[in-house]
Amino acid sequence: MVGIIMGSDSDLPIMQEAIDVLESMDIQIEVDIVSAHRTPEKLFDYSKNAHTRGIKVIIAGAGGAAHLPGMVASMSPLPVIGVPVKSRNSIDGWDSVLSILQMPGGVPVATVALDGAKNAGILAAQIIGASDKCVLDKIIAFKEGLKLKVEKASERVRK
C-alpha cells in the first residue's frame, strides 16, 4: 500500500524509521532505490505506474539536491511525502529541505522534517486510515500511546 523509495542505499538508515512505523501497523510496503539523477528511466516508470500496483501513498527520501520527491510528484497521481535526508555532501540538510519543500504550484509534496522518516510513515498511515478503518484504529491507538507516554513522564518529573 505504501511505496518507500530513496535516492541511495545510504538513505536507508533514516528511511528505516518509516519502514518500522508502517510494519508496526501491518501496512504493506514496497521498498526500493530510485535515483532521480542516476536512474531516470526507473524514476519515470515507478512514478507513472505505482498506483497500478496498489500503492496508495509514496514516501520518497533524498539528500543533497533532493529531486526525487518532486519528480515523483510531477508524474504520479498519488500523494507523495518527501523526507529530506542530511547527506554527507549536504549543506547541513538545508539543500534537501528546500529542494523538497519549495515545489511549484500544482505539484504538491508533503514535506516532513530533516531526517523525519518516522513522521512520514505516520502521515502515510493517516492518509490510508482515512479510508481504512483497521488502519485508522491503529492510528488512534498510536496517538493514545503517545499521550500515555507523556503522562507517565510527567508523573516521574513532577514535584
Side-chain angles (χ1 to χ4, degrees), residues 60-124:
H67 288 99
L68 182 62
M71 289 301 296
V72 171
S74 75
M75 292 179 275
S76 178
L78 300 174
V80 176
I81 302 167
V83 179
V85 176
K86 184 176 180 183
S87 59
R88 62 184 163 84
N89 64 340
S90 179
I91 307 168
D92 286 335
W94 279 108
D95 45 351
S96 304
V97 170
L98 294 174
S99 291
I100 298 171
L101 183 66
Q102 294 295 95
M103 293 302 299
V107 187
V109 174
T111 309
V112 296
L114 182 65
D115 293 344
K118 180 177 182 178
N119 275 353
I122 295 165
L123 181 56

Side-chain angles (χ1 to χ4, degrees), residues 25 118 122 136-154 156:
M25 295 188 191
K118 180 177 182 178
I122 295 165
L136 180 63
D137 289 343
K138 290 175 184 178
I139 290 292
I140 291 169
F142 173 81
K143 296 279 186 165
E144 185 62 26
L146 292 176
K147 175 184 162 188
L148 293 174
K149 185 176 178 181
V150 170
E151 289 172 352
K152 287 180 182 178
S154 174
R156 279 194 316 273

Side-chain angles (χ1 to χ4, degrees), residues 50-66:
H51 69 284
T52 67
R53 295 190 311 280
I55 299 297
K56 305 292 183 209
V57 180
I58 297 171
I59 299 173

Side-chain angles (χ1 to χ4, degrees), residues 14-34:
I14 297 299
M15 300 306 289
Q16 187 64 48
E17 293 184 15
I19 293 166
D20 293 345
V21 165
L22 293 164
E23 286 180 339
S24 76
M25 295 188 191
D26 299 317
I27 295 172
Q28 183 181 357
I29 60 171
E30 70 172 29
V31 180
D32 203 354
I33 295 172
V34 179

Side-chain angles (χ1 to χ4, degrees), residues 37-56:
H37 300 107
R38 294 177 293 259
T39 60
E41 294 86 3
K42 184 175 183 178
L43 166 74
F44 284 27
D45 181 61
Y46 187 92
S47 303
K48 292 181 177 186
N49 296 307
H51 69 284
T52 67
R53 295 190 311 280
I55 299 297
K56 305 292 183 209

